[in-house]
Amino acid sequence: MPEEEPERLISEDGLRLDGRKPDEMRPLKIKAGVLKRADGSAYVELGANRIVAAVYGPRELHPRHKQKPDRAVVRFRYNMAPFSVDERKRPGPDRRSIEISKLSKEALEPAIFTEYYPRTAIDIFVEVLQADAGTRCAGITAASVALADAGIEMRDLVAACAAGKVDGHIVLDPMYYEDGYGEADVPLAMMPKEGEITLLQMDGDMTPEEFKKAVKLAKKGCKIVYKEQRRALKRKYGEE
Ligand code: UDP
């Protein structure tokens, strides 16, 4: 939780603490292929978030009894650096990072043609270097670009973005203060081409109408993210 609670999160003229309009996303930058030793990688800046994703594989899975004869096993590790947050985060997995790893894997797996890579493992690592809320979404966004950069066959990219409720307003892409002092947070991931949602969570309180509005807004955010993901890949592979 941020140390000092701001008096209000939305000003009288409807602007947020960082000057954004309710339906505005933070500045987003994506770069594909940033790590030499990974098969695929990506770097994402979303506002003050700084996140790296690395993909290794498809590679032989050991021990062999963990292999699946008909598909690849997807593994995902989300990790926050101790220096990524205000109050030093104890290194190593905790309940939160284990949960985020699981739901991120489940958000990405439907997009991967795992059946093309039997007996292998696809390992995805997300390292949060600086966190400012929305890291699970930015991590999924980065991981998806890293998977494509690794040449892994996918149905579509997975784009992720959150919406939230702040001072009674539904807002796109909440930052730290809004996440900490807002009323609710709705992270969403989807494959934009078909519109299939692969992650939808809600933390906090919202009416069904507000929830619908938040989902709609988060989907709009995903479309913006998707465009940037594709641009990053095109930049690396010389089409832009
Ligand atoms: N956070 C923190 N310390 C922690 C975990 C989280 O300061 O140990 C901050 C961090 O900025 C994170 C935010 O709280 O981005 C919101 O965390 P949440 O669990 O809602 O996940 P996120 O929004 O990052 O997906």
Side-chain angles (χ1 to χ4, degrees):
M1 191 74 100
E3 259 169 42
E4 268 176 54
E5 180 165 1
E7 219 165 278
R8 51 197 303 172
L9 293 162
I10 309 258
S11 70
E12 259 167 42
D13 45 6
L15 295 181
R16 298 155 70 180
L17 287 178
D18 54 7
R20 280 184 290 160
K21 296 191 194 90
D23 64 349
E24 211 177 313
M25 210 160 81
R26 288 174 285 184
L28 171 66
K29 276 193 214 155
I30 306 179
K31 189 161 192 251
V34 293
L35 302 174
K36 197 171 81 178
R37 294 195 182 84
D39 294 312
S41 58
Y43 173 66
V44 166
E45 287 184 11
L46 175 65
N49 289 307
R50 304 278 184 272
I51 294 174
V52 180
V55 167
Y56 297 82
R59 59 185 178 183
E60 202 177 331
L61 175 54
H62 294 289
R64 287 181 64 173
H65 72 265
K66 288 199 170 162
Q67 293 180 355
K68 300 281 175 211
D70 57 342
R71 62 178 175 88
V73 172
V74 178
R75 299 185 291 194
F76 193 111
R77 193 192 72 178
Y78 166 101
N79 183 54
M80 246 180 172
F83 52 80
S84 66
V85 285
D86 278 343
E87 202 170 307
R88 180 182 180 276
K89 148 116 186 27
R90 243 181 107 207
D94 52 16
R95 279 177 59 133
R96 175 179 173 274
S97 65
I98 292 166
E99 185 213 328
I100 293 180
S101 299
K102 180 176 181 290
L103 61 87
S104 301
K105 170 197 130 86
E106 290 169 0
L108 289 161
E109 201 168 10
I112 304 170
F113 284 108
T114 53
E115 61 273 29
Y116 292 1
Y117 311 105
R119 282 183 241 287
T120 65
I122 296 172
D123 289 310
I124 309 166
F125 298 89
V126 159
E127 295 288 325
V128 179
L129 307 177
Q130 190 166 282
D132 196 70
T135 61
R136 75 194 60 203
C137 289
I140 291 167
T141 294
S144 173
V145 174
L147 283 164
D149 183 46
I152 291 169
E153 300 231 28
M154 288 191 282
R155 291 176 177 84
D156 194 6
L157 289 166
V158 178
C161 188
K165 182 178 168 189
V166 165
D167 283 356
H169 298 256
I170 304 301
V171 300
L172 184 61
D173 183 31
M175 44 79 152
Y176 192 39
Y177 276 92
E178 295 173 330
D179 190 89
Y181 292 109
E183 293 96 90
D185 184 29
V186 178
L188 184 148
M190 68 188 293
M191 291 190 263
K193 218 163 46 187
E194 300 284 332
E196 188 182 332
I197 292 175
T198 60
L199 165 75
L200 181 57
Q201 294 185 286
M202 189 183 79
D203 182 16
D205 288 316
M206 268 182 181
T207 64
E209 287 69 35
E210 286 170 338
F211 180 69
K212 266 190 213 152
K213 204 174 158 194
V215 168
K216 202 170 159 200
L217 195 55
K219 281 183 173 176
K220 187 186 140 188
C222 288
K223 301 239 162 76
I224 299 169
V225 169
Y226 189 57
K227 224 170 149 183
E228 282 309 309
Q229 288 175 308
R230 292 169 60 101
R231 280 184 63 187
L233 287 162
K234 282 183 183 162
R235 261 199 308 273
K236 172 152 186 219
Y237 293 97
E239 287 176 44
E240 198 170 272

